[in-house]
Amino acid sequence: MKKVSIVTVNFNQPKVTEDLLKSLAEVNTYPGLEIIVVDNGSKANPVPEWQERYTEIIFVRSELNTGFAGGNNIGLAQATGDYLFLINNDTEVTADLIGKLVDTMEANPKIGMISPKIHYFDQPGMLQYTGYTPMNYYTCRNACIGQFEQDRGQYDFLSGPTGYAHGAAMMISREAWQKAGGMAENYFLYYEELDWCERIKRAGYEVHVNLDALIYHKESVSVGKRTALKEFFMNRNRILFIRKNAPGFRFFVFCCYFMLAVVPRNIIQYIKNKEYGFIPVFWSAITWHFKNDPDSTNLGFPLTR
């Protein structure tokens, strides 16, 4: 029986994280899990109370919010499993989820990372993820297959290689993690799991989806309110992803597309929606790249808890 380490990151959502821990304890049937919870700089530190309540779980406290990648990397450094399963704290598992993912990876050593099918938790039967299409490096666009559709099994035939794993639930083999390294922390928010998949594939592994395995995700179906932080990192990281993963001619074409299509579209949208404050944020996301190399740790945006 292969050892599986669960890694999840909490940020100001203790009750949500506790629901996940309950799901792992009461629903999951895979034995001997190592569970690691990283508190990523929450305003109120829940770790001391958790350590009293959950004596068999490993808790790690970061005094700073290190982002999605940083928090998961902290947890990965503590993990001892053969397989490392990164799941969002706002997910809940199904009974045989972990066993099915492990069995699939054991049967095919070429698989470095795998994700399950994802349903929206509050919309029974609605798909969030059944795989990703490949990236168009000239536009930095791809699609999440099946999202918002009712699950009738119409995509189950797609089990196998996919464009990218989903950040809400990614199992990686220890070997692939050791060869590809952890997630790049300078993304902070958005695109870091896509970049990780690219590096895993360059290390000689495949990224798969197993649509016989299912997890529920509490992310809302509705689009959340746009914020300056989201606008900055979504745009900065879109460019950063292409700089890192499609240099040369493809990056040149992408820059032409971005300046001629994306910039005018976004500016018009900001003005139309009277979101004038987003214009300098958007410009900062672009100009960051004139001042920083792709591996710079300068995030370019002031962070608060």
Side-chain angles (χ1 to χ4, degrees):
M1 183 71 67
K2 294 295 183 178
K3 183 176 181 179
V4 174
S5 297
I6 303 290
V7 176
T8 193
V9 178
N10 174 73
F11 180 67
N12 295 328
Q13 294 179 310
K15 178 60 170 62
V16 173
T17 300
E18 289 165 12
D19 288 342
L20 169 60
L21 298 180
K22 181 179 179 181
S23 170
L24 288 167
E26 298 181 1
V27 178
N28 163 66
T29 58
Y30 195 87
L33 294 180
E34 175 183 64
I35 302 174
I36 301 163
V37 179
V38 178
D39 182 72
N40 210 9
S42 296
K43 290 181 180 179
N45 181 6
V47 169
E49 179 186 344
W50 280 344
Q51 287 173 328
E52 292 184 5
R53 291 173 56 190
Y54 307 100
T55 57
E56 296 183 356
I57 295 176
I58 300 169
F59 294 99
V60 184
R61 164 76 174 175
S62 171
E63 292 302 324
L64 299 175
N65 177 6
T66 59
F68 178 77
N72 278 291
N73 284 344
I74 290 171
L76 287 170
Q78 301 290 322
T80 61
D82 302 295
Y83 293 106
L84 316 170
F85 192 23
L86 283 63
I87 52 177
N88 278 15
N89 70 319
D90 62 347
T91 57
E92 293 196 11
V93 302
T94 52
D96 52 4
L97 162 72
I98 296 171
K100 287 181 175 179
L101 295 180
V102 170
D103 288 346
T104 303
M105 297 192 80
E106 282 288 287
N108 185 353
K110 291 182 180 180
I111 302 174
M113 177 176 281
I114 193 167
S115 283
K117 178 189 289 184
I118 303 177
H119 279 187
Y120 285 104
F121 181 84
D122 60 353
Q123 296 286 331
M126 180 178 284
L127 293 166
Q128 183 179 14
Y129 168 85
T130 61
Y132 276 113
T133 61
M135 183 66 70
N136 181 334
Y137 296 106
Y138 299 111
T139 62
C140 197
R141 294 175 67 89
N142 72 328
C144 188
I145 302 168
Q147 188 172 25
F148 305 131
E149 297 182 26
Q150 285 297 310
D151 186 5
R152 303 183 305 277
Q154 66 270 39
Y155 297 108
D156 288 356
F157 71 95
L158 293 176
S159 282
T162 192
Y164 299 92
H166 195 287
M170 308 179 285
M171 181 177 285
I172 184 171
S173 69
R174 172 166 291 276
E175 180 184 273
W177 171 55
Q178 290 173 335
K179 288 187 178 180
M183 280 186 272
E185 297 184 17
N186 67 334
Y187 281 93
F188 189 78
L189 188 68
Y190 305 122
Y191 285 92
E192 57 271 88
E193 73 272 25
L194 304 185
D195 178 83
W196 203 20
C197 288
E198 293 281 354
R199 287 172 31 232
I200 288 166
K201 287 186 275 191
R202 287 199 293 270
Y205 296 95
E206 297 175 357
V207 175
H208 280 224
V209 60
N210 181 347
L211 299 175
D212 192 38
L214 175 66
I215 195 169
Y216 296 101
H217 190 198
K218 296 175 184 176
E219 184 172 270
S220 175
V221 172
S222 62
V223 177
K225 182 181 178 181
R226 294 201 305 177
T227 65
L229 181 141
K230 288 182 180 179
E231 287 297 303
F232 178 82
F233 282 109
M234 186 65 77
N235 287 288
R236 188 204 74 152
N237 291 355
R238 185 179 182 183
I239 302 170
L240 182 60
F241 176 85
I242 298 299
R243 283 183 75 185
K244 287 191 172 192
N245 295 290
F249 178 72
R250 289 181 296 180
F251 180 61
F252 171 76
V253 174
F254 167 78
C255 288
C256 294
Y257 164 78
F258 195 90
M259 297 304 295
L260 295 175
V262 177
V263 170
R265 182 200 67 198
N266 283 18
I267 296 296
I268 291 170
Q269 186 179 52
Y270 297 147
I271 294 172
K272 181 179 178 181
N273 295 336
K274 298 182 178 180
E275 298 171 324
Y276 306 115
F278 286 163
I279 295 175
V281 172
F282 180 53
W283 181 247
S284 294
I286 296 171
T287 58
W288 182 92
H289 293 277
F290 295 105
K291 307 170 187 175
N292 297 277
D293 65 56
D295 296 315
S296 171
T297 58
N298 172 26
L299 297 180
F301 193 92
L303 300 173
T304 58
R305 288 188 178 184

